[in-house]
């Protein structure tokens, strides 16, 4: 089965193919383009688990030069970029070459960013291999790296030539990595789709049958991208849970790192609290969101200092002269507005999260 989706940024069409059974679309793309060289950006896990599946279905990526990065968030850094640029130069990679990003959100963000600035831009495609990257990071053309542990401080909008989603890759994903995608799935549900919220609240994850869920999430992301490709207004609702989520992710990065999707889930609980305190989300819905979100994860032993997290929120890239910004919702599945959050309210929302984690 093949599902085809697409979106436009800068008048350029980006096609997204969800292929559950084979690799026909990827093969056809590579055959049609005649790239001089193909560079495969991957990590230890995707080389071990995903590349063999591709090789069984097509031989052309055999010829690719492989660049391997460490499988961790800290690979999204300037230091890694410099190393990769040097390798690309040594390999004499020119604008007639292609970068294939085979990995989770870290590889898609890093490889997309590299492709966007190397020689002022060379072609890249995404082959997302985690659930989170299939439903979110590979879609929408945002690329980014971190700076001093602060999330996504340097980046670009850059269209991949296409995105090839193959749910078969999910078979080898660890349970924790698979589950972490639920941070982003809950975000989609809470800003836009009450039915999705109902269904994910009731149904446990079944990794063998995720195509429909992936397609639903991609549709929601495309809906927001098409309203606001460059993140000026509507697209910012996709950041529900992320102001506090990114601050928590940065806070834990120098301790025991938590996964991006887990940080977003924690951020959702705090930002739902703010949606109740400063907006129209009722107390019953706040309780339901909190329970549903925390029940999806194992946050046992997660402890933090609210002021320490607040310091990281001061670096959020949505901030402006008025202060720290959060997207709020007014009900489950209903977005509300972007709001400036003062220090006191932000700390209070973190204390709420702490009290719920301690329960
Ligand atoms: N650009 C965007 O729009 C966007 C959106 C959401 C998230 N992101 C970014 O995505 C990143 C998180 O992505 P992620 O959750 O995919 O994490 P990740 O890329 O770190 O991958 C998680 C782990 O899974 C391993 N892995 C990947 N595929 C595998 C497979 N098929 N089998 C076994 N192991 C596999 C990786 O090696 C890694 O250890 C964050 O940096 C976040 O900021 C970007």
């Amino acid at each position: 089965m093949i599902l085809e989706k697409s979106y436009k940024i800068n008048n350029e069409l980006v096609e997204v193919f969800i292929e559950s059974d084979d690799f026909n679309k990827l093969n056809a793309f590579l055959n049609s383009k005649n790239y001089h060289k193909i560079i495969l950006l991957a990590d230890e896990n995707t080389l071990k688990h995903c590349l063999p599946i591709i090789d069984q279905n097509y031989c052309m990526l055999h010829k690719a030069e492989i660049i391997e990065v460490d499988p961790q968030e800290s690979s999204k850094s300037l230091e890694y970029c410099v190393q990769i640029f040097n390798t690309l130069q040594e390999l004499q990679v020119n604008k007639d070459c292609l970068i294939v990003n085979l990995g989770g959100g870290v590889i898609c963000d890093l490889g997309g960013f590299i492709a966007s600035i190397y020689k002022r831009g060379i072609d890249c495609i995404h082959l997302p291999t985690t659930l989170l990257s299939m439903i979110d990071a590979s879609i929408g053309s945002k690329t980014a790296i971190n700076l001093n542990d602060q999330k996504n401080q340097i980046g670009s909008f850059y269209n991949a030539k296409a995105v090839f989603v193959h749910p078969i890759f999910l078979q080898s994903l660890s349970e924790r990595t698979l589950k972490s995608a639920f941070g982003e799935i809950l975000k989609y549900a809470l800003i836009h789709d009450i039915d999705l919220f109902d269904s994910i609240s009731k149904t446990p994850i079944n990794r063998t049958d995720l195509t429909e869920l992936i397609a639903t999430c991609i549709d929601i992301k495309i809906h927001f991208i098409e309203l606001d490709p460059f993140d000026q207004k509507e697209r910012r609702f996709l950041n529900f849970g992320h102001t506090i989520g990114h601050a928590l992710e940065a806070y834990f990065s120098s301790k025991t790192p938590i996964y991006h999707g887990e940080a977003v889930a924690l951020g959702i609980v705090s930002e739902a609290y703010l949606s109740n305190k400063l907006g129209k989300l009722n107390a019953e819905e706040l309780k339901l969101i909190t329970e549903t979100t925390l029940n999806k994860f194992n946050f046992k032993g997660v402890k933090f200092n609210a002021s320490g997290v607040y310091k990281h929120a001061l670096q959020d890239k949505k901030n402006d002269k008025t202060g720290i910004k959060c997207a709020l919702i007014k009900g489950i599945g209903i977005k509300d507005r972007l709001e400036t959050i003062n220090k006191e309210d932000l700390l209070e929302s973190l204390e709420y999260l702490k009290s719920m984690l301690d329960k």
Side-chain angles (χ1 to χ4, degrees):
M1 181 180 63
I2 299 177
L3 296 174
E4 299 192 19
K5 317 221 164 258
S6 63
Y7 62 90
K8 256 189 183 173
I9 292 190
N10 256 350
N11 265 342
E12 235 176 45
L13 192 74
V14 182
E15 288 184 295
V16 181
F17 302 103
I18 310 172
E19 269 191 289
S20 46
D21 302 325
D22 48 41
F23 285 68
N24 289 340
K25 288 288 176 185
L26 175 63
N27 287 332
F29 174 86
L30 292 173
N31 280 331
S32 70
K33 293 291 184 179
N34 199 23
Y35 284 108
H36 175 47
K37 279 182 190 156
I38 298 178
I39 308 300
L40 186 74
L41 188 70
D43 66 30
E44 189 189 333
N45 296 320
T46 61
L47 288 177
K48 183 173 169 201
H49 298 292
C50 306
L51 190 56
I53 299 176
I54 299 174
D55 285 345
Q56 279 161 22
N57 287 278
Y58 191 77
C59 58
M60 196 164 166
L61 286 183
H62 267 317
K63 294 189 205 152
E65 301 278 359
I66 292 174
I67 300 182
E68 184 180 336
V69 297
D70 290 329
Q72 60 200 18
E73 177 70 25
S74 54
S75 296
K76 277 175 53 173
S77 68
L78 278 172
E79 293 73 20
Y80 270 87
C81 286
V82 172
Q83 280 179 33
I84 296 169
F85 288 139
N86 285 332
T87 310
L88 293 176
Q89 206 171 48
E90 279 161 24
L91 292 170
Q92 297 186 337
V93 170
N94 295 316
K95 287 178 80 75
D96 54 1
C97 300
L98 173 76
I99 296 184
V100 177
N101 298 314
L102 178 69
V106 165
I107 297 278
C108 294
D109 270 4
L110 175 66
F113 180 64
I114 298 268
S116 76
I117 55 174
Y118 182 74
K119 307 220 170 183
R120 293 208 186 93
I122 70 168
D123 286 2
C124 77
I125 58 173
H126 296 314
L127 270 63
T129 61
T130 61
L131 182 55
L132 187 142
S133 58
M134 290 178 189
I135 58 147
D136 199 345
S138 65
I139 313 292
S141 308
K142 275 191 188 177
T143 82
I145 58 168
N146 305 329
L147 183 67
N148 303 325
D149 287 341
Q150 296 299 142
K151 289 281 299 180
N152 301 340
Q153 301 281 300
I154 302 173
S156 58
F157 286 93
Y158 192 66
N159 290 332
K161 288 291 149 199
V163 180
F164 300 94
V165 177
H166 295 281
I168 192 172
F169 291 147
L170 301 175
Q171 300 308 317
S172 53
L173 215 55
S174 74
E175 198 62 21
R176 185 173 168 196
T177 308
L178 185 77
K179 270 190 180 172
S180 73
F182 275 81
E184 301 289 11
I185 296 169
L186 277 161
K187 163 198 81 180
Y188 287 133
L190 290 167
I191 60 170
H192 193 69
D193 191 340
I194 190 169
D195 295 337
L196 177 61
F197 183 81
D198 285 345
S199 92
I200 57 174
S201 318
K202 288 176 198 140
T203 328
I205 307 166
N206 171 7
R207 73 168 73 212
T208 56
D209 187 19
L210 289 166
T211 305
E212 200 185 317
L213 176 64
I214 292 168
T216 302
C217 291
I218 291 177
D219 283 342
I220 298 174
K221 184 146 190 190
I222 289 177
H223 167 82
F224 282 92
I225 293 166
E226 295 203 321
L227 286 172
D228 172 24
F230 295 109
D231 214 5
Q232 301 297 308
K233 200 163 176 250
E234 285 295 312
R235 192 171 171 168
R236 292 188 169 199
F237 286 103
L238 292 170
N239 271 301
F240 179 61
H242 281 65
T243 304
I244 294 177
H246 279 163
L248 283 158
E249 194 178 353
Y251 172 89
F252 281 110
S253 65
S254 57
K255 302 176 174 62
T256 306
I258 56 173
Y259 294 4
H260 175 73
E262 294 171 341
V264 170
L266 293 170
I268 281 174
V269 173
S270 280
E271 294 184 24
Y273 177 86
L274 292 169
S275 300
N276 170 253
K277 181 168 185 201
L278 309 173
K280 296 189 176 121
L281 187 75
N282 68 45
E284 211 175 298
E285 286 180 308
L286 170 62
K287 186 169 179 280
L288 181 62
I289 292 169
T290 302
E291 285 171 4
T292 306
T293 305
L294 296 183
N295 283 342
K296 285 269 170 219
F297 298 88
N298 176 8
F299 287 130
K300 218 166 145 213
V302 171
K303 302 238 176 280
F304 58 86
N305 168 280
S307 311
V309 176
Y310 173 75
K311 277 190 200 139
H312 289 285
L314 289 172
Q315 294 296 337
D316 191 272
K317 66 186 180 314
K318 294 183 296 303
N319 297 352
D320 62 16
K321 63 184 175 195
T322 66
I324 296 172
K325 292 272 194 271
C326 284
L328 303 182
I329 54 171
K330 49 183 159 190
I332 293 175
I334 314 169
K335 65 188 167 56
D336 184 3
R337 63 184 196 274
L338 289 167
E339 182 64 67
T340 304
I341 310 295
N342 67 36
K343 182 176 179 181
E344 196 181 52
D345 287 336
L346 199 128
L347 290 175
E348 200 177 296
S349 76
L350 286 165
E351 291 304 334
Y352 170 75
L353 172 63
K354 275 168 91 167
S355 68
M356 292 297 126
L357 288 170
D358 286 344
K359 263 191 170 179

